[in-house]
Amino acid sequence: MANTHSDALVFFGATGDLAYKKIFPALQAMVKRGTLTVPVIGVAKAGWGLDQLKARAKDSLEKHGGLDDAAWEKLSSLLRYVDGDYADPATFAELHKQLGDAKAPAHYLAIPPSMFETVVKQLAACNSAKGARMIVEKPFGHDLASAKELNRILLSEFPESSIFRIDHYLAKTPVYNMVAFRFSNTFLEPLWNRTYIESVQITMAENFGIEGRGAFYDQTGAIRDVVQNHMFQVLCNLAMEAPSDHDSESIRNEKVKVLKSIETIRPENVLRGQFKGYLQEPGVKAGSDVETFGVMRLDIKSWRWSGVPFYLRAGKELPVTCMEIMARLRRPPDTNFNPDTGPQNYVRFRISPEMTVAMAVSAASLTDPSKRQAVEMVASRHPKPEEIEAYERVLTDAMAGDPTLFARQDYVEEAWRIVDAILTPTKPVAVYEPGTWGPEDARLTPPGGWDNPVANEAEDFRVVPG
Ligand code: BG6
C-alpha cells in the first residue's frame, strides 16, 4: 500500500472555494508535470452536472494562474462529477460506479470537519474505503477534544498510514529549506542552541483582512487559523534535532519531540488583538471577541532550547504580508578591545514572499575603527514560476503515498494540547488600527524588541551595511 500510486482522486467539496482557488490549479499543474493521469471525480451537492463542473474548473484556472490549453484538455478528459447529498447512500452508490475498477482511490475531504463522519461511514458502506487513502484539509478540529474525535472517526475506517492531514505550509520550499539548511551546513548547527541563541521570534504578517470569510473566521481566530498549524510547523523545523534518516517517520518523530517539550501555554503568555473594522465584516457576530492578531511566548524544555524564549506573532491587517524568523544570538563578551560590543548578531529566515537566509555580523565602523556597525549578509531569491506550488506538492505526495509533509495523529494532538488552555480567552481582545503591528504589551516583547519585516526583499546575494 505504502508505495501504491492512487488510481483515482475523489474530491469532496468540488464546487467550493478551496477547489476554485487552489485545487483546480494544482490539478492542472500535476497534469502538466505528468503526475496526474488517473480519473478525478468531483463530489458536491450543488444540483450540477459534469459540464458545470468543467466550466467552473476552467474559470478557476483562468483566474488563478492561467489556463494551459494542452493540460486543460487532458484534465478535462479526466474529470467526472457526482452530485448528491453526503448523507444519501445513492450519492455513494454513484461514486462507487464512477470509481469503476479503481482499487486504491484517494478521497480528499475539502469539506467542513462536521461532515467527515458522514462521508467516512458512507465510503465504508459503499465499499470504497478499503485500500483507499484519505486526504483531509485543515482545520483539523477546533480544540484538543474535537481533534481527538476526528482522529477517532478517520481511524475507525482507515489506518494512520493512509491518512494525510494537509498543512500546506509544510509543502512550501522555504519551510523545508530551513531543515535542509540547518542540517546540511557545518557552521550553523554548533550555534543553534541555548548557549548561543538568546531568543527566537517568528512573525506571520498579512496586510489584508478576512476577505469575505467572516463566518469561518469568526469561529476560528488567528490562533486556530494559522498559529496552531502553520506557525508550529515552522517552529518545529527550526527547533528539531537532526532526523536519523530522510524517511517520513524519522522526520515526523523529531517534530513530535519538539511539541512534546513545550508546556501548555498559559493565558498570561498570550496577547490577543482585533483590527478596527473587524466587527463590520459580513458574517462576524455582533460584539465578537475573536482575535485577528495573536502573540504568544513559549518555552521548549529540551536540552537544546531550555531558557530560550520563543515568540510567535500572527495577524491580519498588518503593514506587510510576510513570514519571517529572527534568531538573535547572545552578545560577545565586553572586553577592553571591544568595549562597545555593537549590534547584535542574528540569523534571519524569510519564508515568504521571498526565500531568504540572512546573517547579521558586527564589523569595524568605516569612520571610527573602535566602533562597530551591523552588516547583514543576505542570500535571497524570489519564487520562480516553474516551482512546484504547495497544493500541487501535497496532492502529488498524498497520491504517491508519501506522508512526510503531512501531520501525523500524535502531532496534531500535541499541537492542540499546547494551545488548549488559551482557546478560551481570559481577557477581551485589544483593538488595533489596520496597517499597524497590532497592540503592544511589553511583557510579550522579545529581548531587543520585535523585528518588523519589510515588504520586499531585493533578489540577490549581498552584504548590506546596517
Ligand atoms: C490559511 C488561512 O490556512 O493560510 C488563511 O486560513 C491564511 O487565513 C493562509 O491567509 C495563509 O497561507 P499562504 O500560503 O497564503 O501564506
Side-chain angles (χ1 to χ4, degrees):
M1 172 67 192
N3 296 322
T4 314
H5 200 283
S6 301
D7 52 8
L9 175 66
V10 180
F11 78 107
F12 293 86
T15 57
D17 214 41
L18 186 75
Y20 186 72
K21 288 190 181 144
K22 300 280 186 190
I23 302 175
F24 290 122
L27 295 178
Q28 178 180 265
M30 288 167 76
V31 167
K32 207 169 157 190
R33 223 181 280 274
T35 51
L36 181 67
T37 53
V38 300
V40 177
I41 308 169
V43 187
K45 186 189 175 195
W48 286 13
L50 180 57
D51 287 344
Q52 273 158 299
L53 184 78
K54 285 189 179 176
R56 170 92 167 167
K58 196 168 177 200
D59 189 47
S60 137
L61 298 172
E62 280 160 354
K63 304 264 164 41
H64 297 279
L67 190 76
D68 177 301
D69 288 332
W72 164 241
E73 203 178 309
K74 269 194 220 145
L75 174 59
S76 171
S77 73
L78 296 174
L79 279 181
R80 317 270 184 276
Y81 180 63
V82 175
D83 194 88
D85 197 304
Y86 297 151
D88 184 354
T91 309
F92 288 80
E94 178 59 20
L95 171 62
H96 189 67
K97 203 167 111 200
Q98 293 278 350
L99 278 168
D101 304 333
K103 301 259 177 316
H107 300 297
Y108 176 15
L109 304 188
I111 53 175
S114 55
M115 294 177 185
F116 282 13
E117 183 153 30
T118 309
V119 173
V120 165
K121 294 292 170 216
Q122 294 277 16
L123 285 172
C126 78
N127 209 15
S128 299
K130 200 163 163 280
R133 295 198 171 103
M134 184 55 91
I135 309 171
V136 293
E137 259 307 327
K138 84 175 256 285
F140 194 81
H142 199 65
D143 54 15
L144 179 58
S146 56
K148 283 187 169 168
E149 175 60 8
L150 285 183
N151 277 329
R152 185 196 62 73
I153 292 166
L154 294 174
L155 290 162
S156 68
E157 300 295 345
F158 297 88
E160 175 62 29
S161 59
S162 300
I163 301 172
F164 295 77
R165 299 174 193 79
I166 292 185
D167 182 327
H168 75 284
Y169 260 68
L170 271 174
K172 289 184 184 244
T173 309
V175 174
Y176 178 71
N177 183 54
M178 291 157 62
V179 181
F181 188 80
R182 283 188 54 204
F183 299 124
S184 319
N185 293 301
T186 315
F187 66 90
L188 186 65
E189 199 50 17
L191 305 176
W192 208 246
N193 54 56
R194 67 196 173 93
T195 310
Y196 294 98
I197 305 282
E198 181 188 80
S199 70
V200 178
Q201 48 179 287
I202 310 176
T203 296
M204 179 173 178
E206 292 177 314
N207 68 359
F208 50 86
I210 52 171
E211 300 187 302
R213 297 157 77 216
F216 161 77
Y217 201 88
D218 208 43
Q219 309 265 334
T220 311
I223 295 172
R224 288 187 173 94
D225 188 37
V226 298
V227 178
Q228 180 271 351
N229 35 64
H230 305 329
M231 295 191 78
F232 277 12
Q233 289 288 356
V234 169
L235 172 71
C236 286
N237 283 1
L238 274 180
M240 71 197 237
E241 299 300 322
S244 54
D245 208 335
H246 57 72
D247 61 285
S248 60
E249 299 325 288
S250 300
I251 296 172
R252 298 200 296 176
N253 288 343
E254 293 306 330
K255 294 186 174 189
V256 172
K257 274 160 66 181
V258 173
L259 295 187
K260 284 192 164 162
S261 311
I262 302 175
E263 285 174 0
T264 300
I265 301 169
R266 291 192 305 273
E268 61 269 28
N269 284 332
V270 175
L271 167 65
R272 297 181 323 117
Q274 186 184 82
F275 67 79
K276 203 167 166 184
Y278 174 76
L279 295 176
Q280 281 74 56
E281 295 277 347
V284 169
K285 286 186 301 295
S288 170
D289 184 55
V290 163
E291 80 283 353
T292 60
F293 174 93
V295 173
M296 63 185 66
R297 180 211 148 118
L298 52 83
D299 297 279
I300 304 177
K301 292 286 178 75
S302 66
W303 187 265
R304 184 192 283 264
W305 293 116
S306 180
V308 180
F310 283 72
Y311 291 84
L312 274 52
R313 171 175 66 160
K316 302 271 185 200
E317 294 286 8
L318 301 191
V320 298
T321 298
C322 169
M323 189 181 215
E324 202 165 285
I325 295 132
M326 157 80 56
R328 291 210 173 102
L329 273 71
R330 298 192 191 283
R331 287 184 179 278
D334 185 3
T335 61
N336 287 339
F337 170 71
N338 205 31
D340 160 22
T341 58
Q344 201 166 358
N345 296 151
Y346 62 76
V347 178
R348 181 169 70 86
F349 287 105
R350 188 161 161 115
I351 302 300
S352 65
E354 306 85 10
M355 174 160 87
T356 298
V357 180
M359 269 168 263
V361 298
S362 206
S365 152
L366 297 181
T367 47
D368 178 354
S370 71
K371 295 263 185 294
R372 302 289 172 259
Q373 68 168 20
V375 176
E376 193 181 58
M377 299 184 289
V378 183
S380 183
R381 66 192 285 275
H382 289 224
K384 303 279 181 285
E386 65 276 16
E387 272 174 34
I388 185 162
E389 202 273 331
Y391 263 87
E392 181 190 351
R393 175 163 284 168
V394 286
L395 290 180
T396 305
D397 284 6
M399 290 185 73
D402 180 352
T404 312
L405 299 181
F406 298 85
R408 209 167 60 186
Q409 175 195 2
D410 48 353
Y411 179 95
V412 285
E413 292 184 9
E414 281 298 327
W416 280 118
R417 194 257 314 147
I418 292 169
V419 295
D420 213 43
I422 56 169
L423 294 176
T424 314
T426 50
K427 272 187 170 176
V429 284
V431 173
Y432 62 95
E433 287 291 332
T436 67
W437 284 101
E440 280 179 27
D441 182 334
R443 287 175 309 122
L444 288 172
T445 302
W450 284 104
D451 162 59
N452 291 331
V454 297
N456 293 302
E457 185 98 67
E459 171 157 32
D460 56 8
F461 294 83
R462 67 187 194 277
V463 174
V464 190

